[in-house]
Amino acid sequence: MICAPEEIIDTVALARAIEDACAEAGSDPMARRAAVTRHLNAAAKAGRTAIGDAFEQNPLKAREMVHAYAYLTDGLVVTAFWFTRQFLHPLPNPTSAEHIALCAVGGYGRAEMSPHSDVDLLFLTPYKITPWAESVIESTLYILWDLHMKVGHASRTVKECMRLGKQDYTIRTSLIELRFLAGDRPLEKELHDKLHQGLFAGTGKEFIEAKLDERTERHKKQGGQRYMLEPNVKEGKGGLRDLQSLFWIAKYIHHVDEISQLVPLGVFTSEEFTAFEQAENFLWAVRAHLHLLAGRPADQLTFDMQIEVAARMGYADSPGRRAVEHFMQDYFRHATMVGELTRIFLTALEADHVKRLPHLVGLLRRRRVKPGYEVRQMRLDVKDEDAFLADKLNLLHIFEEALRTGLLIHPDAMRLVTANLDLIDDEMRADPEAARIFLGLLLKHGNPERALRRMNELGVLSAFIPEFAPIVAMMQFNIYHHYTVDEHTIQTISELAEIERGELIEDLPVASRILKAGVNRKVIYLALLFHDIGKGREEDHSVLGAKIARAVLPRFHLKPREAEDVEWLVRYHLLMSDMAQKRDLSDPRTIRSFARAVKTKKRLDLLTVLTVCDIRGVGPGTWNNWKAQLLRNLYRQTADGLENGLEDLNRDKQSAEARRQLREALGHWDKADLRTELARHYDPYLQGLSTATQVIIANMLQGIGNDEIRIDLTPDDDRDATRAAFALSDHPGIFARIAGALALVGANVVDARTYTTKDGFATPVFWIQDAEGNPYSIGKLDRLRAMISKTLKGEVLAREALTKKDKFKKREMNFRFPTTVSFDNEGSEIYTIIEVDTRDRPGLLYDLARTLSERNLQIASAVVATYGAQAVDSFYVKDMFGLKVHSESKQKALETRLKAAVQAGTDRANG
């Protein structure tokens, strides 16, 4: 145990103190119960303090800790039971019916307890419960409840245990862990023997199936992924419950009391048993720290808890990575190992205990496998281990054969591969045949992610490409990335294969068309495999990734141009996403600068496909119509520019075409009104908004008074947002005021434009989403309009009202993003682009816009990009004289003001 037993609880001294207290209390049962509760509470507090202090000093000694908490619980429960029978309900001469055994079941029966685990008890009687037994049970439970224990209890006879255990697998599972605590030991032994001889024997098959069904359902409830951002340590995939299920089945089938006993039985190797122990110890430690930090039962490893648990377990920051990221990488590695151990164990049992599908087995037996392999238990296995290992290329060939046949690899074959990873040496990595096999896995079978995922889990991918190893199970501490870096990489390759199979033509018409027309598949697959390989270091991961790719690619024997393209794609894999989401695509210079960067249509096609796969591989819900629209727009304009010449991308040409389309759309208007409308707008307005939006604004401007505010809210399905268009008299700070009004109603701004007419009206347009990232429903638009109107009229002051509303959620407070401010005078012909990269929050856009307005800057547009908890807000601005901000001193002063506004808002949001 984590500290000496007498430091945890001294039951002899405790019993003596209780006897003395009872003597003082006299015969009054209430006074006696109060006395024992006082002594037990003091013992519980002292014991918990001793264990907690010892665990704080030794934060990884989880096995010793869980046994210590079980030992303390035993002392308290047994003492309460002894006191009840000795002092409250003594029975010197019990009849044969008046015997009782107190047993621990479930996790408590295993003597494994976290600080706030449930205490599961079974009160066992020989026959129907007598009034005396009922009194003993009731009094014992009341004392335990007075100690604030969360007690799960059942009072049953041996016969009832057998009957209910037969009907209910949850009850049967709890009885597997039966452990005698106090009372009548022969009664507990009778139940133990009957369970093993009359209930467990011969029912292994159905028990395994029930546990597997239960496991599948549990995983589904927890999200079905091992790499959940906020995993459940107990119930999640790769968590403690998976290890416990494995132990229950082992105990049920093999009658073992310790997992170590499975090694002599040949179920686990000694290395696998060591891995089991390490994973179990780590998960127990995490769960215990969660309980102690929360002061209650807590199994969800939420973002805020991840930081605190990492600190308690001794993790530290390193260059380029936070302590919490190191901690979560270890967590996911252990969770992966739990999955592997479970797979090995279950397959070992499958042949004898789980029902099989005869027609499927026959079909698989007839499936032809290449020489050296066989089909065993519906899985691909190695026929002769020595022959297999004689050619080290077989460590790759087996994955090729699994893809070719569609078979899963047998765990025995997986073990063989894992045990011989040292065969994958520099000689093999440089072998052109090894490169051919690996590229074949990516390119030939239509589902490369299956092979890559299994190779990654078994360590083959990192052995063959050692540069991949640092990103295995690497977690990025933000809300944006749903997966670890290695899993994200495999997801992107899965997306590419899906597009290639023609399954996403409706969702991804451009990417599907590019792939159908033909690209260099070797280049695009390798670019995706390496695109994030540089993560987790101080250097920009795109730059470092390109350097790593340059070092690795010679091993794949590509043509020089192919290697150049892969390296370029890795280096610039974020370029298209950044341009689309952080820049104004209506500005011709944006398109020209992007076109100059990609240079050729071939690279534009490759980068477009890579960008689509990269965004979609981040996680569910990351890809939406808005991003699709931006990327399609950028691709179309760039392709046109590359084909017809970049000189065609100019404002005059765009304005003339936009004016023509607006004239056509308003053809039914009176000619004088039409001339007025076409003359009142500057060119950026005509270039920046769609004709449909210009028509709506034109209608709002007709007959508008100087003191009027007109608002149009319309769902924009193409952008997955609600378009909020405004028409009102222009005055300084109007953009900031509208941003404040939208922040107050909880709207999330995803894009914004603001323009001024030649006759003094402002025509800002914002695209907004609700808190869930969806367009506002029609039913909410009237209320939204009323709230925005109130704020714009000054009835509500956004600055004051936001003080209460602009708060971080507790679980998201610890996300840290350094604030950077950059100025770009080259990216636009007439504006300075100010980009602010910082921590996202509801009132951020308002604070930044207000700060810019206070410095007499005119905001023409704002492009808002969010990546989970990170926001990148880009403002297109000019000064009060209509000029760009070139002065370094002005830029420095602006940067200081913007950072101060961000910090003040962050302090406010932290409460």
Side-chain angles (χ1 to χ4, degrees):
M1 285 187 285
I2 202 160
C3 49
E6 60 273 14
E7 290 178 38
I8 299 168
I9 189 167
D10 185 341
T11 51
V12 174
L14 182 60
R16 197 178 303 124
I18 288 171
E19 284 175 337
D20 292 344
C22 287
E24 283 181 30
S27 58
D28 181 358
M30 294 304 290
R32 287 183 167 188
R33 197 175 115 187
V36 77
T37 301
R38 190 169 60 253
H39 280 285
L40 288 173
N41 255 323
K45 188 177 178 184
R48 286 183 174 280
T49 301
I51 298 169
D53 290 348
F55 190 46
E56 198 170 332
Q57 295 300 312
N58 303 280
L60 301 179
K61 286 196 171 182
R63 191 174 305 282
E64 296 87 342
M65 175 273 306
V66 295
H67 292 319
Y69 277 113
Y71 181 80
L72 173 62
T73 307
D74 283 356
L76 297 170
V77 169
V78 170
T79 302
F81 188 60
W82 163 79
F83 164 79
T84 301
R85 291 179 302 143
Q86 189 78 16
F87 294 99
L88 295 185
H89 309 289
L91 192 66
N93 299 303
T95 64
S96 60
E98 290 171 325
H99 288 261
I100 189 167
L102 176 60
C103 304
V105 291
Y108 179 38
R110 271 194 319 279
E112 293 176 344
M113 298 281 284
S114 279
H116 294 282
S117 288
D118 293 356
V119 179
D120 295 322
L121 298 174
L122 171 65
F123 294 93
L124 190 62
T125 58
Y127 312 112
K128 186 180 176 184
I129 294 175
T130 63
W132 170 81
E134 195 172 338
S135 299
V136 168
I137 293 166
E138 188 178 89
S139 296
T140 302
L141 289 173
Y142 272 120
I143 292 169
L144 298 179
W145 289 330
D146 286 343
L147 299 179
H148 306 292
M149 284 186 179
K150 193 178 175 187
V151 182
H153 61 95
S155 307
R156 298 187 184 120
T157 64
V158 172
K159 191 181 282 187
E160 284 171 335
C161 287
M162 295 295 289
R163 177 174 57 80
L164 293 169
K166 193 172 184 180
Q167 295 169 359
D168 188 319
Y169 281 104
T170 304
I171 293 172
R172 192 186 303 192
T173 304
S174 71
L175 291 171
I176 294 171
E177 312 280 21
L178 186 73
R179 178 168 66 91
F180 176 77
L181 290 176
D184 193 314
R185 186 178 281 276
L187 191 56
E188 183 272 339
K189 188 176 185 314
E190 180 190 346
L191 175 59
H192 178 275
D193 293 345
K194 284 189 175 179
L195 285 171
H196 284 268
Q197 292 161 17
L199 183 58
F200 300 163
T203 58
K205 184 177 80 170
E206 62 200 54
F207 182 76
I208 293 171
E209 286 169 6
K211 288 290 116 186
L212 294 187
D213 289 345
E214 185 185 286
R215 177 172 167 263
T216 302
E217 196 56 40
R218 178 164 40 81
H219 287 171
K220 205 182 291 179
K221 275 185 187 174
Q222 292 299 322
Q225 286 282 346
R226 189 172 291 126
Y227 301 116
M228 298 298 290
L229 282 176
E230 297 178 294
N232 187 302
V233 181
K234 183 181 177 185
E235 303 289 349
K237 197 168 187 178
L240 276 167
R241 184 66 83 205
D242 279 358
L243 287 177
Q244 288 162 355
S245 296
L246 193 151
F247 178 70
W248 291 329
I249 295 170
K251 195 163 185 177
Y252 202 98
I253 302 300
H254 295 293
H255 312 296
V256 298
D257 292 315
E258 299 287 339
I259 287 292
S260 59
Q261 293 170 283
L262 294 176
V263 177
L265 292 172
V267 177
F268 284 147
T269 63
S270 56
E271 291 81 9
E272 287 160 354
F273 166 64
T274 301
F276 181 101
E277 276 199 312
Q278 289 171 346
E280 185 181 49
N281 189 73
F282 182 87
L283 292 171
W284 271 120
V286 172
R287 188 175 187 228
H289 288 300
L290 271 175
H291 280 212
L292 291 168
L293 285 164
R296 57 178 175 77
D299 296 320
Q300 200 80 31
L301 199 48
T302 54
F303 292 125
D304 54 322
M305 284 297 196
Q306 287 171 18
I307 289 177
E308 295 190 61
V309 172
R312 285 181 70 108
M313 290 179 70
Y315 287 87
D317 292 350
S318 67
R321 295 189 72 198
R322 295 178 65 180
V324 65
E325 292 173 326
H326 289 292
F327 162 61
M328 291 305 293
Q329 185 169 29
D330 280 351
Y331 178 90
F332 289 127
R333 281 176 171 159
H334 284 298
T336 301
M337 181 51 67
V338 171
E340 288 303 305
L341 293 171
T342 305
R343 187 182 296 111
I344 289 165
F345 178 72
L346 294 177
T347 307
L349 294 171
E350 191 179 74
D352 299 323
H353 296 286
V354 180
K355 66 186 174 189
R356 302 175 69 179
L357 305 171
H359 65 285
L360 186 57
V361 176
L363 183 71
L364 289 168
R365 278 185 184 147
R366 288 196 298 275
R367 182 170 291 174
R368 297 183 69 171
V369 293
K370 288 184 177 178
Y373 299 102
E374 63 180 349
V375 178
R376 188 157 65 88
Q377 290 171 257
M378 300 187 283
R379 292 173 173 84
L380 181 70
D381 202 0
V382 172
K383 219 172 207 176
D384 182 331
E385 292 189 0
D386 292 334
F388 178 85
L389 295 173
D391 181 358
K392 53 181 128 185
L393 288 175
N394 283 329
L395 294 172
L396 293 177
H397 273 307
I398 190 169
F399 297 99
E400 182 181 47
E401 184 64 3
L403 281 186
R404 189 188 71 80
T405 58
L407 291 168
L408 297 173
I409 300 174
H410 195 284
D412 286 352
M414 291 188 205
R415 276 168 150 172
L416 183 67
V417 169
T418 306
N420 292 280
L421 291 176
D422 58 314
L423 293 177
I424 303 176
D425 53 13
D426 288 341
E427 181 190 31
M428 179 175 162
R429 293 181 197 109
D431 188 340
E433 180 60 13
R436 186 199 66 76
I437 297 165
F438 184 81
L439 288 171
L441 293 172
L442 291 180
L443 303 173
K444 283 185 180 176
H445 302 282
N447 53 350
E449 73 281 359
R450 214 182 108 208
L452 288 175
R453 190 167 283 116
R454 185 64 67 239
M455 290 171 78
N456 190 35
E457 288 174 351
L458 298 180
V460 175
L461 193 54
S462 294
F464 188 63
I465 307 173
E467 297 81 359
F468 195 83
I471 64 169
V472 172
M474 180 187 283
M475 176 255 202
Q476 299 165 86
F477 192 69
N478 57 49
I479 307 174
Y480 181 62
H481 289 94
H482 292 236
Y483 305 116
T484 54
V485 180
D486 57 331
E487 179 61 19
H488 161 68
T489 299
I490 293 169
Q491 291 281 351
T492 65
I493 288 171
S494 175
E495 290 288 342
L496 176 56
E498 207 174 341
I499 303 169
E500 278 199 314
R501 292 194 298 266
E503 294 172 11
L504 297 170
I505 293 171
E506 278 190 34
D507 291 342
L508 305 174
V510 174
S512 298
R513 197 163 57 245
I514 290 170
L515 289 177
K516 191 173 181 184
V519 296
N520 189 315
R521 298 176 66 239
K522 215 184 288 185
V523 166
I524 190 68
Y525 271 101
L526 286 173
L528 281 172
L529 183 65
F530 295 131
H531 80 283
D532 274 348
I533 204 165
K535 281 203 166 173
R537 270 63 67 95
E538 280 187 289
E539 192 175 348
D540 180 322
H541 82 278
S542 300
V543 176
L544 181 58
K547 289 178 186 173
I548 293 170
R550 189 187 311 150
V552 173
L553 287 170
R555 304 204 296 259
F556 290 92
H557 305 277
L558 303 182
K559 294 171 185 171
R561 180 51 63 88
E562 289 175 331
E564 278 176 32
D565 284 343
V566 173
E567 185 183 334
W568 184 87
L569 285 167
V570 173
R571 171 65 185 86
Y572 295 105
H573 73 271
L574 294 175
L575 177 64
M576 190 172 194
S577 173
D578 284 349
M579 278 288 186
Q581 296 183 74
K582 299 179 187 177
R583 290 293 178 263
D584 185 349
L585 299 184
S586 67
D587 191 323
R589 189 172 284 193
T590 299
I591 309 302
R592 284 204 298 270
S593 64
F594 179 63
R596 288 192 185 104
V598 297
K599 290 187 174 65
T600 65
K601 176 71 161 42
K602 179 190 78 172
R603 280 192 173 172
L604 173 64
D605 286 347
L606 286 166
L607 184 58
T608 300
V609 173
L610 183 144
T611 303
V612 168
C613 294
D614 191 16
I615 295 173
R616 287 176 66 88
V618 166
T622 308
W623 179 263
N624 54 32
N625 286 346
W626 175 251
K627 287 173 186 168
Q629 183 85 358
L630 291 173
L631 288 173
R632 284 174 201 152
N633 188 2
L634 179 56
Y635 175 83
R636 179 180 51 75
Q637 291 191 69
T638 307
D640 287 348
L642 290 170
E643 189 177 336
N644 302 317
L646 298 182
E647 61 277 2
D648 267 18
L649 298 170
N650 62 73
R651 286 186 177 275
D652 292 342
K653 188 174 178 182
Q654 284 186 353
S655 297
E657 177 57 22
R659 208 177 292 276
R660 184 194 66 76
Q661 290 180 8
L662 181 59
R663 185 183 290 112
E664 196 175 286
L666 298 177
H668 59 285
W669 275 30
D670 175 80
K671 286 186 179 178
D673 289 343
L674 180 56
R675 275 196 302 273
T676 303
E677 179 59 26
L678 290 170
R680 80 193 321 167
H681 298 291
Y682 295 100
D683 283 353
Y685 170 88
L686 296 164
Q687 297 156 4
L689 295 174
S690 68
T691 304
T693 305
Q694 290 175 30
V695 168
I696 285 171
I697 291 174
N699 286 316
M700 286 200 293
L701 286 170
Q702 272 205 317
I704 190 170
N706 288 332
D707 57 350
E708 269 191 273
I709 298 173
R710 292 184 179 179
I711 304 171
D712 178 85
L713 301 175
T714 306
D716 188 336
D717 294 335
D718 286 341
R719 300 198 186 196
D720 275 341
T722 298
R723 184 185 60 219
F726 300 85
L728 67 167
S729 290
D730 187 31
H731 54 79
I734 192 70
F735 185 95
R737 280 184 62 193
I738 294 174
L742 293 171
L744 264 183
V745 297
N748 178 33
V749 177
V750 292
D751 199 4
R753 302 278 185 276
T754 185
Y755 306 97
T756 304
T757 65
K758 293 172 184 176
D759 53 346
F761 289 98
T763 56
V765 183
F766 287 70
W767 283 266
I768 58 176
Q769 294 174 334
D770 63 18
E772 276 71 53
N774 301 314
Y776 280 88
S777 62
I778 300 295
K780 291 182 178 176
L781 294 183
D782 286 342
R783 182 175 172 273
L784 191 63
R785 186 181 288 105
M787 287 289 290
I788 294 170
S789 185
K790 266 187 178 183
T791 310
L792 291 178
K793 287 174 182 174
E795 294 173 30
V796 178
L797 295 177
R799 197 167 185 173
E800 292 175 11
L802 272 172
T803 305
K804 295 175 185 174
K805 295 194 77 168
D806 189 9
K807 300 289 182 189
F808 291 139
K809 295 174 185 172
K810 187 193 169 198
R811 60 185 276 273
E812 296 173 6
M813 276 187 177
N814 288 298
F815 291 115
R816 297 201 304 258
F817 296 98
T819 299
T820 60
V821 180
S822 62
F823 296 83
D824 177 6
N825 280 308
E826 302 302 319
S828 174
E829 291 173 1
I830 55 178
Y831 299 110
T832 294
I833 305 169
I834 302 176
E835 184 177 288
V836 182
D837 187 338
T838 189
R839 171 76 163 86
D840 192 25
R841 54 184 170 77
L844 177 65
L845 183 66
Y846 167 65
D847 285 343
L848 296 175
R850 183 168 45 80
T851 303
L852 293 173
S853 295
E854 286 168 357
R855 302 298 291 176
N856 299 314
L857 289 174
Q858 302 169 40
I859 299 170
S861 64
V863 182
V864 179
T866 54
Y867 306 90
Q870 179 186 11
V872 181
D873 290 357
S874 302
F875 298 89
Y876 283 67
V877 304
K878 50 189 177 182
D879 66 16
M880 61 195 297
F881 304 108
L883 302 173
K884 290 184 178 183
V885 184
H886 283 289
S887 162
E888 279 191 31
S889 61
K890 281 186 180 177
Q891 288 183 5
K892 199 71 188 164
L894 258 177
E895 181 181 352
T896 303
R897 287 292 187 97
L898 288 167
K899 283 185 173 179
V902 168
Q903 189 57 52
T906 301
D907 293 343
R908 182 178 70 229
N910 278 321

